[in-house]
């Protein structure tokens, strides 16, 4: 399944506000207050309005921090941060800029938005235009998901989209198709599921099985996932999909003990 990439949206005026020492704003507090305000205004947030931070363990700089927003979008510190507190502020800054821009009408899922998103996805999808329109195709399922979430913004839709990106990456969608499950049935089922530890553990088991059948495949995939995540983080992009890939692969890696996976190559 192919999805349009979530771009990095930078707002010069907002960025300037947070950079100017004369107008210092606590971006961590501002980000939390922003999402609490959205919830009080009636925006449905399945997991509440809590903003979740995750600092990457490290004994030396630069420090890295990720922040996951209600709705599932994830951003990371995009600067070389000398302290853990600075890394937290950096991640909050990029998340707040994207949250503010997300309020623009162009970011709300509408008929016009769906047509543009499907057109962009079709342009990068290898298949005939006729097959792309079929409900069971990747493009058809993508359209189905968008239409089912009409009226929401892309940041609010992010977790569901990430679930299906992971299902495609993990080979789960192909396996379901072979079991004669329609894409609509799959979408309906996973629309009501959260991207939680249980789902990650299930996907990790698939990668453990692949590693046992083809030694080295897990290490190679993990190297690619780490590189993709780091590149996207430094570019200020939305990170949920590459981060979840890395986390799932690390679960599989740790369960296997890492003994046969070339840990040195992974770190490099």
């Amino acid at each position: 399944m192919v999805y349009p990439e979530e771009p990095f949206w930078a707002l010069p005026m907002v960025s300037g506000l947070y950079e100017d020492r004369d107008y210092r704003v606590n971006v961590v507090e501002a980000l939390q207050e922003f999402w609490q305000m959205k919830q009080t205004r009636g925006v449905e947030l399945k997991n509440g309005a809590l903003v979740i931070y995750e600092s990457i363990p490290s004994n030396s700089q630069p420090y890295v921090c990720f922040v996951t927003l209600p709705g599932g979008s994830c951003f990371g510190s995009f600067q070389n941060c000398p302290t853990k507190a600075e890394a937290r502020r950096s991640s909050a800054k990029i998340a707040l800029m994207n949250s503010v821009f997300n309020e623009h009408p162009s970011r709300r899922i509408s008929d016009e938005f769906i047509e543009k998103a499907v057109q962009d996805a079709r342009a990068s999808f290898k298949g005939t235009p006729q097959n792309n329109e079929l409900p069971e195709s990747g493009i058809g399922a993508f359209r189905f998901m968008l239409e089912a979430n009409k009226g929401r913004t892309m940041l609010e839709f992010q977790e569901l989209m990430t679930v299906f990106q992971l299902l495609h990456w993990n080979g789960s969608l192909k396996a379901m198709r072979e079991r004669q499950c329609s894409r609509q049935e799959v979408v309906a089922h996973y629309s009501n599921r959260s991207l939680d530890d249980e789902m990650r553990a299930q996907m990790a088991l698939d990668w453990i099985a692949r590693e046992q059948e083809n030694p080295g495949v897990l290490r190679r995939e993990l190297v690619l996932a780490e590189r993709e995540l780091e590149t996207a983080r430094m570019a200020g992009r939305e990170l949920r999909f590459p981060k979840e890939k890395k986390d799932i692969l690390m679960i599989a890696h740790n369960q296997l003990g890492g003994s046969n996976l070339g840990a040195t190559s992974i770190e490099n």
Side-chain angles (χ1 to χ4, degrees), residues 168-220:
H168 175 65
W169 162 74
N170 193 54
S172 301
L173 286 181
K174 181 180 179 181
M176 293 176 195
R177 186 168 62 249
E178 292 172 350
R179 293 197 298 267
Q180 306 301 314
C181 297
S182 72
R183 291 293 174 88
Q184 288 90 337
E185 291 172 334
V186 176
V187 170
H189 172 72
Y190 280 98
S191 294
N192 298 315
R193 286 198 58 181
S194 297
L195 180 45
D196 53 17
D197 290 341
E198 180 183 357
M199 186 180 296
R200 295 184 188 98
Q202 290 175 346
M203 292 189 181
L205 288 175
D206 292 333
W207 283 99
I208 290 174
R210 290 188 181 102
E211 175 64 25
Q212 291 170 341
E213 293 176 3
N214 184 12
V217 65
L218 179 56
R219 180 187 61 80
R220 292 191 296 272

Side-chain angles (χ1 to χ4, degrees), residues 42-267:
V43 175
E44 183 180 353
L45 301 173
K46 184 169 59 175
N47 299 319
L50 183 64
V51 174
I52 300 172
Y53 292 89
E54 177 187 350
S55 295
I56 302 303
S58 176
N59 294 322
S60 61
Q61 59 177 304
Y63 294 96
V64 175
C65 182
F66 295 100
V67 57
T68 301
L69 302 177
S73 292
C74 177
F75 298 92
S77 50
F78 61 100
Q79 300 156 308
N80 288 323
C81 301
T83 66
K84 294 180 181 179
E86 185 60 35
R88 189 182 182 96
R89 286 192 291 270
S90 178
S91 64
K93 183 195 302 183
I94 190 66
L96 182 57
M97 287 192 292
N98 278 271
S99 296
V100 171
F101 185 82
N102 191 58
E103 297 301 298
H104 192 275
S106 66
R107 301 296 289 160
R108 195 164 296 278
I109 300 174
S110 62
D111 289 334
E112 182 180 0
F113 181 97
I114 292 172
E115 291 304 320
K116 178 65 167 60
V118 170
Q119 182 180 5
D120 291 343
R122 186 183 296 120
S124 58
F125 184 79
K126 295 181 180 179
T128 64
Q130 293 79 9
N131 289 337
N132 289 349
E133 295 298 335
L134 295 175
E136 65 271 15
S137 73
I139 300 297
F142 181 46
R143 178 188 287 275
F144 183 85
M145 280 196 300
L146 287 171
E147 290 178 344
N149 287 271
K150 198 178 298 183
R152 302 179 74 188
T153 66
M154 282 304 296
L155 289 188
E156 295 163 12
F157 173 64
Q158 187 65 48
E159 180 158 330
L160 178 60
M161 188 164 79
T162 302
V163 166
F164 281 87
Q165 287 176 300
L166 289 170
L167 290 172
H168 175 65
W169 162 74
N170 193 54
S172 301
L173 286 181
K174 181 180 179 181
M176 293 176 195
R177 186 168 62 249
E178 292 172 350
R179 293 197 298 267
Q180 306 301 314
C181 297
S182 72
R183 291 293 174 88
Q184 288 90 337
E185 291 172 334
V186 176
V187 170
H189 172 72
Y190 280 98
S191 294
N192 298 315
R193 286 198 58 181
S194 297
L195 180 45
D196 53 17
D197 290 341
E198 180 183 357
M199 186 180 296
R200 295 184 188 98
Q202 290 175 346
M203 292 189 181
L205 288 175
D206 292 333
W207 283 99
I208 290 174
R210 290 188 181 102
E211 175 64 25
Q212 291 170 341
E213 293 176 3
N214 184 12
V217 65
L218 179 56
R219 180 187 61 80
R220 292 191 296 272
E221 192 70 22
L222 185 51
V223 168
L224 291 174
E226 289 184 333
R227 186 178 301 143
E228 178 186 355
L229 177 60
E230 181 67 8
T231 300
R233 181 181 69 82
M234 295 304 293
R237 297 189 188 128
E238 202 284 321
L239 305 173
R240 187 66 185 275
F241 178 46
K243 185 176 184 300
E244 289 291 348
K245 283 198 298 184
K246 179 189 173 184
D247 289 348
I248 290 166
L249 293 167
M250 283 302 301
I251 293 171
H253 172 268
N254 292 336
Q255 289 185 5
L256 287 171
S259 56
N260 299 320
L261 299 179
T264 301
S265 296
I266 290 175
E267 293 173 358

